[in-house]
Amino acid sequence: MIALSLTELATMLDGSLDAGAEGNHIVSGPVVVDSRLAREGSLFFALRGEKTDGHLFATAAVEGGAVAIIAERALDVDVPVIVVKDTLVALAALARDVVARVRALGHLRVIAMTGSNGKTTTKNMVRAILEPEGRVVAPQGSFNNQVGAPLSMLGVDEGTAFLVVEMGASAPGEIAHLVSIVVPDVAIVLKVGLAHAGGFGSIQQTQKAKSEIVVSLPESAVAVFNADDELVVEMAPLTAASPVFFGLSDSADFRASDIAVSVAGTRFQLDALGKQYPVQLSILGEHNVMNAIAAIAATAQFGVDPADAVSRLEAMVRAERWRMEVLEAPNGAVIVNDSYNASPDSMVAALKTLAEITRGTHRSIAVLGEMAELGEVADEEHDRIGRLVVRLNVAKLIVVGHAARHIHNAAGLEGSWDGESVLVDSADEAYDLLHNELQRGDVVLVKSSNSAGLRLLGERLAGIL
């Protein structure tokens, strides 16, 4: 974070500083909301959550090195406390002011992205493209909500050239709130799907929520839209920003064609700005082609030559840990570990990738867990995935957890299987079923939402853990 005095902080947050505190004391360390992450110089925000209260951990944050606390009440700690009405509101206010101060220097550019799938992968691709151009601040993991996004924004300082922000939402108005903190110079809309359907209620409400990223953009901004998703295309008239389209369709300004996926990676042809570029990614999946051309289209708005963008994407070994991560087991089996998150769209994309890279050459195995936060469509969508597994001729299916049981049940109804689909209670049981059975050339997809707890299963199967 940029250096600020305690007096400046109190003014920015409309808070009151301890009477005995030295107002000219400077805070320049990282902002944290988890006391376990506090280190020397940190500023700790005591947030109230559904399950716990950050005020209870203020002492632990001080012991970790925090030099000041933002809280909603006075605290008995050995560092200054700034008392505010609402710490979550104060966190957003601090991010808004810090980003504004850095932008006033004239060189910070902001790129944001939303979508039901692909945000984190696209963010990592954008970061890889931009890093040779200047210092990039981007979130770690999926810091894209009302807490994570402001924390990411607070990483900027006077030397930052690019701020990359994921904007996720589980309810209407949340993306609009994030845009109010930092208005992007370039905004990407990737896809409108059923992720977090339980929070929005319908695909139309999801579309409306995702459109919040573009509706208030100024004419000087650029909005980058998925030309292949009609629900995204319909957002273009809602913004004053200049539209740019990416996709597979002929109407796209940045277009991919001739896509081929193998265990070695993903190959395609890029048409951009009147030129053609062959692209060979290490990252698997046609859906990641869409993420790649979105990143190329967005960074081109900052003057990055597509040829340079392509070479930087080709150098990426993986999108991120647990996201279509290809691991090789000691016995020669290949594990595709995509267990950080799952929605119906991303599950379909991962299964289609599994089918494509194994067709006629390798045995395919899918280990699938729950797709969380789907609300009343959860049973229907898990059922649809089970039937798709059969239609794609996946050789073996292991379904983990009671919440995902409809995948197993539907697979059995769709095909006359005899042991090809197994329902187990835990990742440990899935491991016990598979680890002695896997052979050279087998390809195993591990896919679920984070809450299903399969993240480490792929690494165990690959012999890493």
Side-chain angles (χ1 to χ4, degrees):
M1 187 183 72
I2 62 173
L4 295 167
S5 71
L6 290 174
T7 297
E8 286 179 301
L9 280 168
T11 301
M12 292 162 61
L13 305 183
D14 193 23
S16 57
L17 178 62
D18 288 342
E22 296 183 12
N24 61 356
H25 181 78
I26 299 297
V27 178
S28 59
V31 177
V32 297
V33 298
D34 184 336
S35 61
R36 295 168 295 183
L37 300 179
R39 58 182 176 83
E40 192 63 36
S42 296
L43 175 63
F44 177 71
F45 273 74
L47 300 182
R48 290 177 291 106
E50 294 180 1
K51 297 181 180 179
T52 189
D53 185 340
H55 294 79
L56 302 176
F57 300 94
T59 298
V62 173
E63 292 172 351
V67 295
I69 306 290
I70 310 300
E72 294 175 6
R73 62 176 183 266
L75 297 172
D76 185 16
V77 291
D78 296 329
V79 299
V81 176
I82 297 174
V83 177
V84 298
K85 184 177 180 180
D86 186 313
T87 48
L88 183 60
V89 171
L91 180 65
L94 180 59
R96 182 181 293 109
D97 204 314
V98 166
V99 173
R101 290 188 183 207
V102 176
R103 290 189 91 159
L105 299 176
H107 57 262
L108 178 67
R109 288 164 287 182
V110 179
I111 182 168
M113 59 216 60
T114 194
S116 299
N117 309 108
K119 292 185 296 297
T120 299
T121 297
T122 305
K123 172 259 297 181
N124 288 335
M125 289 177 165
V126 167
R127 174 167 52 195
I129 294 170
L130 290 178
E131 279 180 335
E133 307 290 327
R135 181 170 178 266
V136 180
V137 169
Q140 298 298 317
S142 295
F143 265 33
N144 59 33
N145 61 14
Q146 306 303 293
V147 176
L151 284 175
S152 299
M153 298 172 195
L154 285 166
V156 302
D157 59 24
E158 294 83 356
T160 305
F162 302 99
L163 170 62
V164 184
V165 184
E166 284 186 55
M167 293 188 175
S170 56
E174 292 183 356
I175 292 176
H177 172 66
L178 295 177
V179 172
S180 75
I181 300 174
V182 54
V183 179
D185 298 296
V186 175
I188 307 171
V189 186
L190 294 164
K191 188 175 182 61
V192 175
L194 286 171
H196 308 296
F200 294 116
S202 71
I203 195 75
Q204 289 75 25
Q205 287 301 313
T206 303
Q207 177 194 35
K208 184 177 181 181
K210 300 301 182 186
S211 71
E212 293 170 5
I213 198 172
V214 300
V215 293
S216 60
L217 293 180
E219 291 183 359
S220 59
V222 175
V224 179
F225 295 110
N226 182 344
D228 299 340
D229 188 330
E230 187 59 34
L231 293 175
V232 174
V233 173
E234 289 174 359
M235 299 178 191
L238 304 179
T239 183
S242 300
V244 171
F245 294 90
F246 69 92
L248 309 183
S249 64
D250 291 340
S251 63
D253 302 298
F254 290 75
R255 177 175 175 266
S257 60
D258 301 327
I259 300 171
V261 183
S262 70
V263 175
T266 307
R267 186 178 71 252
F268 66 96
Q269 168 105 348
L270 170 68
D271 291 272
L273 306 179
K275 295 182 180 180
Q276 290 74 46
Y277 308 86
V279 185
Q280 177 67 58
L281 301 177
S282 297
I283 301 167
L284 292 182
E286 182 173 316
H287 55 301
N288 282 319
V289 172
M290 296 295 286
N291 297 333
I293 56 177
I296 294 169
T299 54
Q301 310 312 310
F302 296 140
V304 180
D305 190 306
D308 293 331
V310 167
S311 66
R312 294 164 191 174
L313 291 181
E314 289 180 330
M316 291 182 69
V317 176
R318 64 183 182 184
E320 188 162 300
R321 189 181 182 192
W322 303 315
R323 294 180 188 272
M324 294 301 284
E325 183 179 14
V326 179
L327 307 170
E328 185 171 349
N331 63 2
V334 173
I335 314 298
V336 181
N337 197 2
D338 194 26
S339 52
Y340 188 86
N341 211 345
S343 68
D345 288 332
S346 68
M347 187 74 83
V348 168
L351 286 167
K352 286 183 175 179
T353 299
L354 174 67
E356 186 169 355
I357 65 178
T358 57
R359 187 175 294 116
T361 57
H362 305 283
R363 183 172 67 138
S364 56
I365 302 170
V367 183
L368 307 181
E370 179 192 14
M371 300 178 291
E373 300 183 45
L374 294 180
E376 62 183 19
V377 301
D379 290 353
E380 174 186 344
E381 291 301 320
H382 284 87
D383 182 284
R384 183 166 70 94
I385 294 302
R387 296 179 187 277
L388 178 65
V389 169
V390 177
R391 294 168 188 171
L392 291 173
N393 294 314
V394 173
K396 188 177 185 68
L397 170 66
I398 298 176
V399 179
V400 184
H402 180 75
R405 67 193 182 282
H406 289 284
I407 298 176
H408 168 72
N409 295 341
L413 293 172
E414 182 71 17
S416 298
W417 283 17
D418 182 17
E420 292 93 339
S421 180
V422 182
L423 177 65
V424 298
D425 290 330
S426 67
D428 288 339
E429 289 183 60
Y431 175 79
D432 291 339
L433 273 176
L434 275 180
H435 80 284
N436 288 327
E437 178 187 330
L438 292 182
Q439 301 176 6
R440 177 173 297 278
D442 289 347
V443 181
V444 183
L445 169 68
V446 182
K447 177 73 174 171
S448 70
S449 288
N450 186 23
S451 59
L454 301 190
R455 285 189 299 168
L456 300 181
L457 173 60
E459 294 176 350
R460 287 184 69 191
L461 292 171
I464 297 174
L465 296 179

